[in-house]
Amino acid sequence: LVWASAERSPVDTEAGAARFDALIEADEKIEPRDWMPDGYRATVIRQMAQHAHSEVIGMQPEANWITRAPTLLRKAILMAKVQDEAGHGLYLYAATETLGVSRDELNELLHTGRQKYSSIFNYPTLSWADIGAIGWLVDGAAIVNQIVLQRTSYGPYARAMVKICKEESFHARQGYSIMMALANGTEEQRAMAQDAIDRWWWPALMMFGPHDSESPHTEQSMAWKIKRITNDDLRQMFIDQTVPQAHYLGCTIPDDDLVFNDETGHWEIGEIDWEEFWSTIKGDGRLNRERISHKVAAWDDGAWVRDAAVAYAAKRRDRLQASA
Ligand code: FAQ
């Protein structure tokens, strides 16, 4: 999908391209009205939209536990977290709209499977420990990726990331706090925590995308400074920070090949199940169909609210115009 900007004269194109290159070279931001290559526009729209969709679909696995959170405090925290994800979706859709695509178009692309959302949200949340594991591992992985995106070259995306990262840090801590409570609990609770780690570890590693050698977009996105660190390097940063946290919990990482390399100072892992990754992002994961049909049903159910908001805005505009 390419969202082309308006017709350009060859002179404008040449001057625009030179300015774009200079801004990227100088590590400055590209802003909505700046000239940009069509490929840059399409890539930023694709990535921001996928990111926004992920935040919104990501509410489903967690919302599943709001009514079953073990205490009132945990329930209030989880509700706040899920609301934060809706807010993140909102900032990201708004940032995407600055590039001339409407939220309705983006929703349509998600609902019809033409735009993706993160693979991680196609797995079920089977126990309360999954909420801990999601906060710790999934939000933890999201932060590693998003801290770096605060320096992405597209201004509205970079600025949205600043607030999102602050909230994600809170999310990761609440997740680890749940894991700590379980790890310090009964034998049954410790087993529940371990079971959640066993199921979420590998999917969390897949969030960073395919190996750099298999990633069609990385080279160009790095050159345009949309991505600042590659998929494999970000994944490694996450592994290095997370393995000691698992050990602190007294839990194990479900990987027989996991080993610390004294020379490089990094944890080395076994092979990721790339078949599972590709089939999930192509729509054949465990819950892809359920997630999308739930999303479409919510969108349809909310039509009257959107209609009412649009009618109200039109009425206000008419009244303002009449009184001007
Ligand atoms: N899932 O060439 P690359 C959150 C696709 S955090 C699905 O490497 P790229 C917080 C990719 O789109 C999660 N698809 O692509 C939260 C491309 O497909 P296409 C969201 C994936 O873009 C926590 C193809 O594979 N975070 O929501 C995945 O350069 C808890 C080739 O891949 C972001 O989106 C995947 N894991 O790098 C919310 C971060 N990986 O379009 C609720 C921003 C790859 O050609 C609860 N995004 N693909 O058909 C990024 O940093 C990048 O887009 C990557 C992928 C790193 C995800």
Side-chain angles (χ1 to χ4, degrees):
L1 291 162
V2 174
W3 281 270
S5 35
E7 283 291 305
R8 302 155 164 168
S9 76
V11 175
D12 286 348
T13 300
E14 208 176 298
R19 183 164 177 277
F20 175 87
D21 290 345
L23 286 172
I24 296 288
E25 173 68 26
D27 251 344
E28 292 197 18
K29 300 293 174 221
I30 306 299
E31 297 298 339
R33 291 200 182 130
D34 287 340
W35 188 96
M36 62 190 81
D38 288 343
Y40 179 91
R41 181 183 299 272
T43 303
V44 175
I45 289 176
R46 177 183 63 76
Q47 182 167 323
M48 286 198 294
Q50 168 173 319
H51 198 159
H53 299 327
S54 305
E55 300 281 357
V56 170
I57 299 284
M59 290 194 283
Q60 291 186 36
E62 293 186 291
N64 184 31
W65 278 89
I66 289 177
T67 54
R68 289 176 282 163
T71 66
L72 187 57
L73 180 65
R74 293 286 189 201
K75 187 198 280 267
I77 293 172
L78 185 57
M79 277 171 67
K81 179 183 191 293
V82 172
Q83 282 173 347
D84 283 353
E85 310 300 2
H88 298 175
L90 209 61
Y91 316 150
L92 286 163
Y93 282 127
T96 315
E97 284 178 307
T98 63
L99 287 173
V101 52
S102 76
R103 202 170 309 179
D104 280 352
E105 279 177 88
L106 297 172
N107 266 301
E108 174 70 13
L109 290 167
L110 172 66
H111 295 170
T112 51
R114 284 177 292 156
Q115 261 180 354
K116 297 184 168 68
Y117 59 90
S118 181
S119 51
I120 193 72
F121 301 120
N122 293 302
Y123 295 86
T125 38
L126 304 177
S127 78
W128 171 249
D130 287 14
I131 299 304
I134 290 182
W136 169 43
L137 298 175
V138 175
D139 287 272
I143 293 172
V144 168
N145 171 288
Q146 290 173 168
I147 291 276
V148 181
L149 283 174
Q150 292 177 116
R151 293 191 294 115
T152 190
S153 57
Y154 187 57
Y157 194 16
R159 290 189 288 275
M161 279 302 125
V162 175
K163 186 155 189 285
I164 291 181
C165 280
K166 285 187 185 154
E167 292 174 350
E168 296 288 19
S169 305
F170 158 72
H171 296 173
R173 287 194 184 105
Q174 69 84 37
Y176 200 67
S177 145
I178 293 173
M179 296 306 280
M180 286 276 287
L182 294 172
N184 290 318
T186 62
E187 184 112 352
E188 224 178 351
Q189 287 171 316
R190 279 197 296 277
M192 203 196 274
Q194 183 62 55
D195 173 60
I197 297 174
D198 291 349
R199 285 181 291 105
W200 290 94
W201 172 252
W202 290 105
L205 298 187
M206 293 176 198
M207 286 174 69
F208 295 93
H211 279 314
D212 297 346
S213 55
E214 307 294 317
S215 160
H217 302 299
T218 291
E219 194 181 342
Q220 182 61 76
S221 287
M222 292 289 288
W224 278 331
K225 297 186 180 170
I226 296 169
K227 285 167 99 165
R228 306 302 306 247
I229 300 187
T230 69
N231 299 358
D232 282 330
D233 288 351
L234 284 172
R235 185 168 18 243
Q236 190 61 52
M237 285 162 66
F238 172 73
I239 293 165
D240 289 340
Q241 86 176 27
T242 309
V243 171
Q245 293 169 354
H247 293 160
Y248 185 75
L249 291 172
C251 293
T252 54
I253 297 283
D255 179 355
D256 292 340
D257 297 322
L258 185 75
V259 58
F260 187 72
N261 183 326
D262 284 318
E263 270 171 38
T264 62
H266 294 299
W267 286 93
E268 291 171 1
I269 60 162
E271 191 54 26
I272 290 171
D273 183 346
W274 292 112
E275 241 172 72
E276 177 178 321
F277 170 78
W278 291 113
S279 82
T280 302
I281 72 168
K282 282 178 188 145
D284 287 324
R286 285 181 66 178
L287 291 179
N288 297 58
R289 286 171 195 81
E290 189 177 306
R291 295 287 188 240
I292 288 296
S293 68
H294 191 75
K295 170 72 173 66
V296 172
W299 178 256
D300 292 343
D301 282 351
W304 68 274
V305 180
R306 292 191 300 279
D307 291 346
V310 169
Y312 178 67
K315 233 191 241 174
R316 280 196 65 183
R317 195 186 49 231
D318 290 349
R319 249 188 246 135
L320 266 174
Q321 273 168 0
S323 66

